Amino acid sequence: MTLRTTPFDAAKYLGDPEAQAIFLRDALETGDAGYIAHALGVIVRARGMSQVARDAGLSREALYKALSPTGNPRLSTLLGVTKALNIRLEASAGAIPDQEGTR
């Protein structure tokens, strides 16, 4: 018997702005640029790629490329997207791990 699978798209499950914020917060905490871009891409798809691209002053294609796992969005793109999503990025002081990874 053949196992059938269906593609999973997290954007279908992130319709709530609070869930989107938790997802993005997790990505930001990792410091992994690819994961951050991916998380933003998922959130953008959940909100509607065309509308967010318009609101951020970008083409859909440019937004897809910038927020792909291999994308490297410019700071101006990141700020435009977060503004279009009505997401506020914040900074806080905290312990910085030393080279061994301990605090």
Side-chain angles (χ1 to χ4, degrees), residues 57-72:
L58 301 166
S59 69
R60 283 184 64 227
E61 295 77 18
L63 193 53
Y64 270 115
K65 183 177 178 181
L67 299 180
S68 73
T70 58
N72 190 10

Side-chain angles (χ1 to χ4, degrees), residues 13-91:
Y13 303 95
L14 287 174
D16 174 21
E18 184 61 30
Q20 294 168 359
I22 291 168
F23 183 41
L24 183 57
R25 189 175 308 121
D26 179 66
L28 290 167
E29 287 176 358
T30 68
D32 181 333
Y35 181 29
I36 295 167
H38 170 73
L40 275 172
V42 170
I43 294 167
V44 166
R45 286 196 328 275
R47 300 250 188 127
M49 183 66 75
S50 295
Q51 186 62 50
V52 173
R54 248 188 316 272
D55 292 346
L58 301 166
S59 69
R60 283 184 64 227
E61 295 77 18
L63 193 53
Y64 270 115
K65 183 177 178 181
L67 299 180
S68 73
T70 58
N72 190 10
R74 295 173 40 180
L75 181 57
S76 59
T77 301
L78 175 67
L79 295 175
V81 169
T82 57
K83 183 176 181 180
L85 293 171
N86 197 29
I87 291 176
R88 184 180 68 232
L89 298 178
E90 295 181 356

